[in-house]
Amino acid sequence: MGEFYLFAFAQAHEEFRIPELQSIAELHNFTIKFQSEVNVHRPFMILELESEEHARTLARRCILVKAVCEFYARGLSYEELHEQNRARLPKWGCYIPDTSFRFMVTAYNHSIPQARQRAVVEDFSYMGFLGKIDMKNPEVTMICYEEYRDKRGMTREKHEGDGEFEEAFFGRLIEEGSARSLIRKFDVKKRVYYGNTSMEAEISLLMANQTLASPGKLIYDPFIGTGSMAYTTAHFGAMVFGSDIDGRQMRGKANQPGIIRAAAQYGVAGRIVDLCTFDVTRNPWRCGELFDAIITDPPYGVRAGAKRLGRKPRPGKPADDLRSPETIMKNRPDDQPYIPPTKPYELSSLASDLVQLARYMLKPQGRLVFFLPTVTDEYEELDIQTMLCEGMEVVANSLQNFGSWGRRLITIRKATSERFPPPSFEVSSGELEASSLHVPAHKDFREKYFQGFKNSNFEQPVQDNH
Amino acid sequence: MVRLITHNLLACHAKGCTSNNFPLQFKDIQVELREAEFNSDFLRGFLPRIEWAALVDASRQLGDTSLPAEQPEMLDDDFLQKLHHVLLEIHVEEGAMICPNCHHVYPISNGIPNMLLAEHEIG
């Protein structure tokens, strides 16, 4: 039987909170017991853990945790809260005789006027703490949180509605979330090398946590681009491999590759095992089961479209337009390196290819963590199911909502130790049939994006013959 | 970079080149040695994936003769240190890797190997 802990979360990425907690618990081999009526959209959660050490571990590694407290009481009113708190005397009684302390009263979505903060503190006087009050370095900090309804977009007086909270929580502060400061450390604007598709720091960190990155692990990003997630996974101790079809993204302009320069800024250059230029659909990996995790943000066509080797089919041109090496050499200026032609890579086939690649390249129990953009109104659970294949199961699926579209952070586990062949990256007839049964909302995402998601029944533009 | 750990994982993947396509042969290379942090768990975890003979050959070609020809059964600290050095501390910065079978040249520049295939080399 565990103890109850009060978790306070940052006001961001609500759907990512539980997956992150679960990932870090799995990484450190302990379990979290959630209460039956968890509402992820609320900023406070009471979790049952076996030890305070587990609570500290979560506070030190989870990006979304602001603070962890030993839970004493909650209530829709202060009467309710105090009644519960009095009954918890065995929990806090040990701090009565001679422990320096401070009380803090704070609110979510609201700021409490100082006069009422003092009044709230005074109402706890029945606890009878005899130690000295120390606002700087107390031995214990008691925190009372008031949770207010999100008044999104409404202008109001600063203290309007003061006291009309949804619920109040009370507990002893164990540890403030220290991983949140990493968001500043990995701020893209302060990075020596980044591009226009670099992933923001907070999400890169959340993704790294989903991979269970830790020392001794080997993690691969097959669309590494400017390396956003390589830095955060390496920060947590993992060794990282990267590849990209476009070497310029990894290199930047200086001699030393941009990714290595940025990794050096974070003190993790040595953990970037290597960067290679290749198309992941034509990859040179000698064998499978190499990686503990695959982390990637596949290019989905808004700022950068996904490409793969090959030539776009062009009507009116002979199909056997494959160039021989001789023609290539003849038509190319001597001083230019040969750059093979590329063709667009449609998102829904990229996604299912990625899952198959992960099944081949991951060790058993390894994780695939990636973003899938999708059309908010059209998304169905089935979209994710259609890209899965035997042996791969979804661990988490969290939406970051941008309005008409959003992106889902998908975490998939390789739940099999069976060996599978490398994917062919060709659309088989079976797959074609399956995909004609269900068209996922992320199919042709790029086209939908540029049409502003106007027609819900997306159709390919038709040639007008009039 | 290219480190020997990477070299041990890359095979020629040109169309039809499916045998004798590993290990790639180094040519005209510039090597740099850079210290890396030692992690025995990482090495132990990676060991089952290594093609031992290829690693020994490559390291000898680059002038490091510390690894035994046969992979030892006992993983003592001395061995792991040597393995660590060979896998992670030798970086090929410039040059090329060449397929022993089809002779495809994969150039390395600023430590990044270009493993892209030309149009006639993909299936």
Side-chain angles (χ1 to χ4, degrees):
Chain A
M1 186 60 193
E3 299 289 336
F4 291 102
Y5 296 90
L6 169 64
F7 279 69
F9 292 95
Q11 234 162 333
H13 309 303
E14 299 161 356
E15 287 197 15
F16 294 66
R17 290 170 181 164
I18 291 179
E20 186 183 40
L21 292 169
Q22 283 172 324
S23 293
I24 302 312
E26 184 177 329
L27 175 61
H28 292 274
N29 276 318
F30 63 85
T31 49
I32 302 175
K33 220 169 138 195
F34 291 88
Q35 293 186 313
S36 48
E37 30 35 288
V38 173
N39 178 353
V40 293
H41 300 289
R42 294 185 59 183
F44 300 103
M45 246 183 247
I46 315 286
L47 304 178
E48 197 179 332
L49 300 169
E50 272 161 37
S51 80
E52 190 169 310
E53 207 37 53
H54 294 169
R56 289 184 187 276
T57 301
L58 292 168
R60 285 171 197 166
R61 180 71 191 259
C62 292
I63 308 303
L64 296 176
V65 171
K66 272 184 89 171
V68 185
C69 305
E70 183 184 18
F71 171 67
Y72 293 153
R74 67 194 291 177
L76 300 177
S77 68
Y78 272 111
E79 291 72 47
E80 214 177 300
L81 182 141
H82 287 305
E83 195 189 321
Q84 213 179 90
N85 189 42
R86 282 174 211 268
R88 299 284 164 100
L89 174 67
K91 290 267 173 219
W92 47 260
C94 56
Y95 304 117
I96 294 175
D98 187 25
T99 307
S100 66
F101 68 96
R102 71 172 163 172
F103 268 78
M104 285 173 61
V105 180
T106 178
Y108 185 89
N109 279 329
H110 180 72
S111 65
I112 307 172
Q114 279 202 339
R116 200 172 66 81
Q117 285 187 30
R118 275 195 300 276
V120 170
V121 172
E122 273 158 31
D123 287 343
F124 282 97
S125 57
Y126 62 87
M127 293 174 80
F129 281 16
L130 300 170
K132 95 175 174 343
I133 296 171
D134 183 342
M135 297 310 282
K136 284 221 174 79
N137 284 307
E139 286 165 77
V140 291
T141 300
M142 300 291 166
I143 297 195
C144 183
Y145 293 104
E146 293 178 3
E147 176 189 351
Y148 288 77
R149 195 186 295 265
D150 187 357
K151 300 152 189 142
R152 209 165 275 168
M154 307 270 279
T155 54
R156 63 201 158 84
E157 294 294 312
K158 192 174 175 200
H159 299 306
E160 191 185 305
D162 182 48
E164 294 166 22
F165 52 82
E166 302 276 290
E167 196 170 2
F169 298 85
F170 182 63
R172 175 182 59 88
L173 179 67
I174 292 172
E175 195 156 321
E176 291 192 49
S178 47
R180 279 199 74 66
S181 65
L182 292 174
I183 298 170
R184 268 200 313 282
K185 174 172 176 175
F186 288 97
D187 186 355
V188 175
K189 283 182 231 150
K190 291 185 233 148
R191 193 174 294 164
V192 297
Y193 179 70
Y194 59 91
N196 63 350
T197 57
S198 292
M199 178 69 72
E200 69 254 37
E202 186 167 12
I203 298 281
S204 301
L205 288 158
L206 287 172
M207 290 178 81
N209 273 348
Q210 285 305 98
T211 66
L212 312 183
S214 59
K217 293 206 174 149
L218 188 56
I219 295 182
Y220 174 42
D221 185 342
F223 299 96
I224 196 166
T226 54
S228 305
M229 282 88 69
Y231 314 125
T232 53
T233 38
H235 170 81
F236 292 123
M239 301 287 277
V240 184
F241 256 120
S243 71
D244 203 293
I245 192 171
D246 187 352
R248 294 170 303 181
Q249 288 277 320
M250 301 185 286
R251 290 175 192 275
K253 282 178 181 151
N255 267 347
Q256 191 183 28
I259 292 183
I260 302 298
R261 280 183 278 136
Q265 176 187 1
Y266 301 126
V268 296
R271 295 191 191 145
I272 309 295
V273 177
D274 257 310
L275 304 168
C276 300
T277 308
F278 60 78
D279 170 3
V280 71
T281 73
R282 307 280 178 190
N283 70 70
W285 295 118
R286 171 173 65 76
C287 60
E289 294 187 37
L290 286 173
F291 303 112
D292 295 284
I294 292 178
I295 184 172
T296 198
D297 178 30
Y300 44 81
V302 177
R303 275 175 287 186
K307 298 280 188 211
R308 52 185 296 188
L309 291 181
R311 206 169 268 273
K312 265 190 253 186
R314 272 182 295 183
K317 286 230 169 181
D320 58 350
D321 190 31
L322 283 185
R323 309 262 172 100
S324 68
E326 291 74 28
T327 2
I328 291 167
M329 292 307 167
K330 205 171 64 194
N331 296 338
R332 178 165 59 98
D334 291 342
D335 59 336
Q336 291 299 307
Y338 168 68
I339 295 171
T342 55
K343 61 184 181 187
Y345 196 0
E346 194 275 313
L347 185 66
S348 65
S349 46
L350 184 155
S352 34
D353 285 352
L354 187 59
V355 178
Q356 281 192 43
L357 177 81
R359 183 173 65 171
Y360 173 65
M361 298 298 301
L362 287 175
K363 297 177 188 169
Q365 300 306 312
R367 284 179 165 207
L368 166 65
V369 177
F370 72 105
F371 261 114
L372 186 72
T374 188
V375 186
T376 308
D377 290 342
E378 291 176 31
Y379 171 79
E380 294 171 68
E381 198 79 15
L382 195 57
D383 292 359
I384 306 297
Q385 297 307 318
T386 47
M387 69 191 195
L388 290 181
C389 53
E390 190 196 331
M392 301 296 275
E393 63 180 37
V394 174
V395 174
N397 171 357
S398 315
L399 174 68
Q400 187 184 15
N401 199 337
F402 300 125
S404 56
W405 71 288
R407 55 183 183 181
R408 289 182 172 271
L409 182 63
I410 313 284
T411 307
I412 291 174
R413 179 194 288 126
K414 177 174 174 180
T416 175
S417 46
E418 212 177 306
R419 289 199 174 169
F420 287 87
S424 67
F425 296 104
E426 304 297 334
V427 183
S428 71
S429 53
E431 268 178 68
L432 270 180
E433 255 165 53
S435 64
S436 63
L437 291 177
H438 175 76
V439 181
H442 55 270
K443 180 141 200 313
D444 299 307
F445 180 79
R446 182 175 196 274
E447 286 73 13
K448 292 176 186 173
Y449 181 90
F450 285 112
Q451 288 181 2
F453 307 107
K454 274 184 199 118
N455 43 3
S456 53
N457 294 316
F458 177 77
E459 285 162 20
Q460 288 282 351
V462 189
Q463 200 81 42
D464 198 337
N465 285 328
H466 293 284
Chain B
M1 333 229 294
V2 175
R3 309 193 206 202
L4 291 189
I5 184 175
T6 307
H7 174 260
N8 204 264
L9 295 175
L10 300 177
C12 179
H13 56 127
K15 182 172 140 190
C17 188
T18 52
S19 62
N20 188 31
N21 58 345
F22 173 86
L24 303 172
Q25 304 299 311
F26 284 119
K27 191 171 173 252
D28 302 332
I29 52 168
Q30 287 171 30
V31 176
E32 270 179 36
L33 298 181
R34 255 177 262 154
E35 228 171 276
E37 59 189 330
F38 179 81
N39 184 323
S40 66
D41 289 341
F42 177 80
L43 297 169
R44 284 172 207 274
F46 192 73
L47 206 56
R49 292 281 161 268
I50 295 177
E51 275 287 336
W52 190 255
L55 182 67
V56 173
D57 279 358
S59 65
R60 294 193 176 164
Q61 201 189 335
L62 303 188
D64 186 296
T65 55
S66 61
L67 292 183
E70 295 289 322
Q71 186 177 333
E73 309 234 316
M74 276 285 292
L75 305 180
D76 59 21
D77 210 47
D78 179 55
F79 167 72
L80 288 175
Q81 289 288 354
K82 285 172 181 163
L83 181 64
H84 166 75
H85 176 71
V86 167
L87 278 180
L88 295 167
E89 298 191 320
I90 306 174
H91 298 247
V92 176
E93 289 295 319
E94 300 290 331
M97 293 185 287
I98 295 168
C99 173
N101 181 45
C102 75
H103 306 293
H104 182 105
V105 178
Y106 296 100
I108 301 168
S109 102
N110 295 122
I112 298 183
N114 183 348
M115 307 299 291
L116 283 174
L117 297 174
E119 204 173 0
H120 62 281
E121 292 169 317
I122 60 179

